[in-house]
Amino acid sequence: MGKKPIVAGNWKMNKHPEEGSSFVDEMQDLLLDIKHVSVIFAPPFTGLFEMNVDPPFYVAAQNCHWENSGAFTGEISVSMIKDCGAKYVIIGHSERRHIFQESDDWINKKLRSVQSSGLSPIFCVGETIEQRESEQTDKVLRSQLEKGLSGINSIEDCVIAYEPVWAIGTGLTANNKQIELAHQTIRDILSSNYKDVEDIHILYGGSVNSSNAEDLIQVTGVDGFLIGGASLDLKSFSSIARTVEMVQEKKI
Ligand code: 13P
């Protein structure tokens, strides 16, 4: 049996705690019989504590600080996130990199901190349209992966998300060939430093919705999705999870 695919919803700065917790309750009711997919919800920090989930449903934070505590106004540490019952932390999302100027060095510190706490990072990488058009995609992915993972000995607990910046929230998805190649490139880069890279999940993110999910989940090397917009809507998010479940069931 292969890897169990992951369908993760990154809510970004959306949903108040009550909305989030009732959404999660309804999703779990709708997907009671789900067996072959893990579903992750990533609410804003304020919603983390309110999520009541049982496997195969999990909670992720969208960011963290690398220090455990101290004078860091506005920040949240991984141990605080862990206290809320989350299992994952999204690190290096393109909005953090581009809007909040997060550097590879910060991302590396955050990844280490998540790992040392026993949580699992969902580590995001991806190129801008300018980088793709100037054929820099492989170079950018290599640089983000190597700098982000610098000094990290094992990535067993890491989930990688390939999110081309130009496909995020634009309605444009990368085509199947672009996704397959990027996922292969990521796996090759990781394989030069780590073992058992075949077991690592590499998710695709960028305008995934209930209409394209069936096609995208069958692209070689895609082990699930990181979804923004379509994860805010109960019908579309549950339908994507169902689609992935159905495709996976056929494989087994
Ligand atoms: P969209 O699915 O809205 O394109 O967002 C993708 C994303 O950024 C998930 O982290």
Side-chain angles (χ1 to χ4, degrees):
M1 202 172 103
K3 270 168 280 179
K4 190 171 178 174
I6 293 174
V7 173
N10 173 10
W11 292 349
K12 309 191 178 181
M13 199 169 71
N14 293 289
K15 293 199 191 293
H16 288 246
E18 280 147 51
E19 283 174 84
S21 65
S22 53
F23 183 97
V24 164
D25 293 345
E26 285 176 64
M27 266 288 278
Q28 290 183 105
D29 283 346
L30 281 173
L31 299 172
L32 268 182
D33 55 328
I34 213 125
K35 288 195 286 284
H36 307 296
V37 183
S38 304
V39 178
I40 303 174
F41 305 96
F45 285 140
T46 53
L48 277 179
F49 210 73
E50 299 286 332
M51 306 279 138
N52 284 314
V53 292
D54 289 305
F57 298 89
Y58 302 93
V59 172
Q62 299 174 18
N63 183 26
C64 67
H65 193 273
W66 57 86
E67 294 290 347
N68 199 40
S69 61
F72 300 101
T73 302
E75 295 293 325
I76 310 265
S77 74
V78 182
S79 64
M80 294 168 182
I81 290 169
K82 197 173 173 179
D83 268 1
C84 296
K87 184 174 185 303
Y88 296 90
V89 186
I90 298 173
I91 301 291
H93 190 276
S94 100
E95 285 145 23
R96 301 284 335 156
R97 291 177 189 265
H98 295 107
I99 305 174
F100 301 102
Q101 320 299 330
E102 264 190 27
S103 65
D104 290 306
D105 177 45
W106 280 24
I107 289 166
N108 178 248
K109 287 185 172 138
K110 292 180 181 202
L111 284 170
R112 287 164 183 254
S113 154
V114 173
Q115 274 200 319
S116 64
S117 74
L119 299 191
S120 297
I122 301 176
F123 173 29
C124 304
V125 294
E127 80 289 357
T128 62
I129 193 65
E130 293 78 19
Q131 290 164 336
R132 174 160 285 276
E133 284 172 352
S134 57
E135 297 180 3
Q136 303 284 302
T137 301
D138 289 9
K139 196 173 138 210
V140 169
L141 294 177
R142 174 176 295 278
S143 162
Q144 291 176 340
L145 288 166
E146 290 185 346
K147 290 179 181 160
L149 294 169
S150 169
I152 290 179
N153 295 325
S154 164
I155 54 165
E156 240 172 76
D157 56 349
C158 283
V159 174
I160 309 288
Y162 170 60
E163 298 206 305
V165 179
W166 48 275
I168 296 178
T170 55
L172 295 172
T173 48
N175 67 40
N176 293 4
K177 198 74 213 161
Q178 289 170 324
I179 298 173
E180 184 177 339
L181 283 174
H183 281 228
Q184 190 55 53
T185 301
I186 292 170
R187 231 175 266 285
D188 290 345
I189 294 166
L190 295 175
S191 297
S192 52
N193 292 317
Y194 301 99
K195 54 181 171 50
D196 300 328
V197 168
E198 269 318 301
D199 298 337
I200 304 286
H201 285 82
I202 304 181
L203 313 182
Y204 168 74
S207 299
V208 175
N209 59 42
S210 49
S211 313
N212 58 26
E214 185 171 356
D215 186 35
L216 293 172
I217 196 61
Q218 296 184 73
V219 174
T220 305
V222 171
D223 304 312
F225 300 129
L226 182 56
I227 305 165
S231 76
L232 296 172
D233 178 72
L234 200 59
K235 217 167 136 200
S236 46
F237 196 38
S238 60
S239 143
I240 296 169
R242 278 241 165 264
T243 301
V244 175
E245 166 91 359
M246 180 194 76
V247 171
Q248 185 67 5
E249 204 157 36
K250 281 193 201 150
K251 282 198 208 159
I252 295 170

